[in-house]
Amino acid sequence: MDFSVTILGSSAAIPKVNRNTTSQYVICKNRHILIDCGEGTQIQLRKFKLKLQSVQIILISHLHGDHILGLPGLVSSMQLLGRTSSLSIYGPKGISDFLLPILSIIGKGVQFDLNIVELEPNSNSIIFEDNCITISNFPLQHRIPTHGFLIKEKPNKRRLLKDEFDKTGVSVAYIQKLIQGFDIEDNNGVKVKYQDVTMEGKLSKSYAYCSDTCFTPKIIEYIADVDLLYHEATFLDKEADRASETYHSTAKQAASIALNANTKRLLLGHISARYNDLLQHEIEAKEIFENVSVVKDGDVYNL
């Protein structure tokens, strides 16, 4: 699979028997990304048959316990299992002060390359980029500095129409230029238009992660036209006042964000432990946005 999201934890502040606190595992173009790391995340990785040593990048939205308390244990286990590959952690200012003393107290720190990048509050920028993907952060509105994340595939190259190319008789040495979108003329004067022998590449996909936040239409500009949106929906509409007081969102508010951002699909999570039946969250959200699911631990969504 080129792009998938596995839900490791779907509960809000307090875990339940069947719902752990927040964490997700994203695979995009063979890049393995962990988003948030609530207590027990490494157990969830094992439960859902995901290799913790495969994680290359960890994104931490904010420094509340239900999003970070699993991080020291996870990094410690990586060390105990003999990790040698590097690990990059992106999170709010203060994450180094949280993580590094704990690792020092419980052991000798880490022996592999640990790259911690602290993000400026209210910032919006590309924080990671390679030849296949980009990861951006954007500000959310919570009680403490909190970041959302946008993971995007880079545009795919055009694909060769082999039968049409073979008819031209030109050398295979020209294939790269043609799939890059250039017309060519070979040494024999044969001209080939790239549109005649190639087709559009597979459309690139995108995933936006909106962690703890109150309802804030300001985020729409950062997530416009995203293929898959995860947005917290801690409360139902009848607790809208409570949501506002605690800087969280309701299912209807999350659906409104999805609708106005022209999202293709919406995932709801970070559900308060007070709710046993999650159907009502879906019902309320669907009053505004039809293509919505309430996530459960172990769910896998393929883009």
Side-chain angles (χ1 to χ4, degrees), residues 125-146:
S125 61
I126 294 175
I127 60 176
F128 174 85
E129 182 175 17
D130 62 15
N131 62 333
C132 292
I133 72 168
T134 62
I135 303 175
S136 303
N137 72 316
F138 55 89
L140 299 173
Q141 191 171 342
H142 195 41
R143 287 176 291 171
I144 61 174
T146 304

Side-chain angles (χ1 to χ4, degrees), residues 32-51:
H32 293 248
I33 304 159
L34 186 71
I35 309 181
D36 279 338
C37 193
E39 183 182 357
T41 291
Q42 62 177 314
I43 299 296
Q44 297 294 88
L45 287 166
R46 293 186 179 279
K47 180 178 179 180
F48 301 122
K49 303 186 186 310
L50 296 164
K51 296 180 180 179

Side-chain angles (χ1 to χ4, degrees), residues 193-212:
K193 292 184 177 181
Y194 75 89
Q195 297 100 324
D196 295 336
V197 295
T198 66
M199 62 184 294
E200 290 284 348
K202 186 179 68 172
L203 292 176
S204 56
K205 300 291 185 179
S206 56
Y207 175 58
Y209 174 87
C210 294
S211 177
D212 298 19

Side-chain angles (χ1 to χ4, degrees), residues 217-257:
K218 292 180 181 179
I219 67 172
I220 291 171
E221 65 179 291
Y222 305 119
I223 62 174
D225 301 318
V226 73
D227 292 284
L228 182 63
L229 168 65
Y230 169 88
H231 195 293
E232 74 121 281
T234 308
F235 295 104
L236 291 173
D237 197 51
K238 65 181 179 180
E239 280 90 31
D241 289 343
R242 176 65 175 162
S244 179
E245 291 168 5
T246 58
Y247 287 83
H248 285 294
S249 297
T250 68
K252 279 189 175 181
Q253 289 170 343
S256 176
I257 294 293

